[in-house]
Amino acid sequence: MCRAIALIGFVVAALLASPPVSSAQMSKAQAPKTSAAKASPAGRVRATPASPVNINAATAAQLQTLPGVGASTAQRILDYRQKNGGFKKIEELMNVRGVGEKSFLKLKPLIVISGERAAAADASK
């Protein structure tokens, strides 16, 4: 009996010693996670098959929403695009240092190509 009372006293003391949780903090903790707005640890929205990244028009920040693409890989993609005038096929992404076949297969459903080349081709018709 004494141990039970001591245990209850310990639990009550621990609860009183912990910082209070606001209702805003509580609702964040209890809020369901949705798949529509996937965020990376840095808080960036991640690319999805429903909203793929156009590798011929994307900025470095947009490229970094792709899994496994950091700042340096994004810059190499931009450099490749500038040097070669854009990607003609998405498979050309494997020509960028740091993007191998395994990485490409993960990225394939999340990327598209269109943009300046397609617009220029349409304008010349």
Side-chain angles (χ1 to χ4, degrees):
M1 178 82 169
C2 287
R3 284 187 178 171
I5 293 173
L7 181 61
I8 292 172
F10 178 75
V11 170
V12 170
L15 290 173
L16 292 175
S18 66
V21 176
S22 71
S23 60
Q25 290 172 325
M26 176 102 34
S27 64
K28 281 184 183 178
Q30 295 174 345
K33 303 216 185 256
T34 62
S35 60
K38 293 183 181 178
S40 70
R44 293 187 314 251
V45 174
R46 303 299 284 170
T48 64
S51 60
V53 173
N54 177 353
I55 60 174
N56 274 340
T59 63
Q62 292 167 330
L63 290 168
Q64 289 179 54
T65 65
L66 295 165
V69 176
S72 58
T73 304
Q75 187 58 53
R76 287 193 295 266
I77 292 169
L78 294 176
D79 293 343
Y80 180 91
R81 190 170 74 194
Q82 184 177 9
K83 180 180 176 185
N84 297 290
F87 295 90
K88 296 170 200 74
K89 302 184 301 181
I90 60 173
E91 290 80 9
E92 287 181 34
L93 190 59
M94 288 186 284
N95 294 336
V96 175
R97 187 171 52 92
V99 181
E101 186 176 356
K102 284 177 74 175
S103 298
F104 172 74
L105 291 174
K106 289 178 188 174
L107 297 173
K108 190 174 180 179
L110 305 173
I111 59 175
V112 294
I113 57 168
S114 62
E116 295 176 9
R117 280 191 167 243
D122 290 343
S124 66
K125 289 183 181 180

